[in-house]
Amino acid sequence: MKQIYYVLLLFTSMLWAGNFVAGKFLIGHASFLTLTSIRWMIAVLFLLPFVWVKEKRLFPPKKSLFLLFLMGMTGVDLFNIFMFLALERTSADNVGLISALNPIAIAITSFFILKEKMSLRQVIGMVLSFLGVLVVISQGDWQRIQNFYFNTGDLFMLAAVGAWGLYSVVGKKVMNQVTPFMSTLWAGIFGVLILLPFNLFTFKVTNPNVSFWLATGYVSIGATVLGMVFWNLGVQKVGGTTSGMFLNFNPIFTAIFAYVLLNEHFSFVQMIGTLFVITGVYIFTLKSNSKQTEKNKEVNISA
């Protein structure tokens, strides 16, 4: 029953909604390499006993090691490094706006590597949801979109989006061989091992106060362990392109958290944008009544 995986993906989006905010805070305490290392070392330590209890083994099949290595390099290292580099050089708003391209990047990467196609209905759902994201992020002020310009940080975030697309596609392939829990664990292990030579002699944290460790705990256990396991479950069960659609909820949850926790304004226009996103995701995930009709309507998303 796919609905349960849609709920997990929605919960993943909620967990990741505060990730950019927490990341913006953490970069004042350590380098992007150190932050990525700490985040995933904690995640790996947390996952090790969990995987052992659940699966009675810690080592994956040999044939899956290369794909797990690629998951670690793309999703653990490149995505996080590019994201932290972006947060150092551009605003959280710009990072949020560019991250809205994640579903499109996943769809395009899935098409070229996995040969996945989308129906006309799914393309319409994706476009509608993407427009809703723009409404939420811009708060209905289209000048914010028109005045957008690329700086170095924005280019790093585009690179992060590309890395996440590759991670999602590789994850879909490797989870034919291992469970989402095992894949998350070993992507983390490989990611940390890749970073160690570059960060071993520069590993340093400045003023690691209570706020730093609370934020680190959130990004390590919440956004990384729970978020990545739920994401990998979703990719395994419903595919990377469909899972990517749920990333459109990230800015919505961010706006809601800001409203509840920071007393920021959540406007009527943003509510309309939220409805666009929900409607678009619903249309995208709606099961076709006729498989043949769906097949006949497949479109080449690269056109």
Side-chain angles (χ1 to χ4, degrees), residues 23-39 84-85 88 199 202-208 212-213 216:
K24 192 75 174 175
F25 169 77
L26 288 172
I27 58 175
H29 293 269
S31 71
F32 59 89
L33 289 175
T34 298
L35 291 173
T36 303
S37 297
I38 291 174
R39 176 180 182 173
F84 282 124
L85 285 171
E88 285 179 345
N199 193 37
T202 59
F203 191 96
K204 181 181 179 181
V205 177
T206 304
N207 188 28
F212 169 84
W213 289 114
T216 300

Side-chain angles (χ1 to χ4, degrees), residues 49-88:
F50 182 83
V51 171
W52 173 254
V53 170
K54 180 175 175 56
E55 304 195 22
K56 308 303 180 186
R57 65 189 182 116
L58 290 177
F59 294 97
K62 288 183 180 179
K63 63 180 180 180
S64 66
L65 288 177
F66 178 68
L67 291 177
L68 290 169
F69 174 84
L70 289 180
M71 284 184 73
M73 184 175 66
T74 55
V76 175
D77 294 332
L78 293 181
F79 174 78
N80 282 283
I81 287 170
F82 288 144
M83 184 191 72
F84 282 124
L85 285 171
L87 287 168
E88 285 179 345

Side-chain angles (χ1 to χ4, degrees), residues 102-116 161-162 164-170 241 301:
N102 265 318
I104 298 173
I106 293 171
I108 293 173
T109 310
S110 297
F111 173 77
F112 282 109
I113 297 179
L114 300 180
K115 307 303 180 185
E116 289 185 4
V161 167
W164 190 258
L166 289 171
Y167 169 83
S168 301
V169 170
V170 173
T241 302
I301 63 170

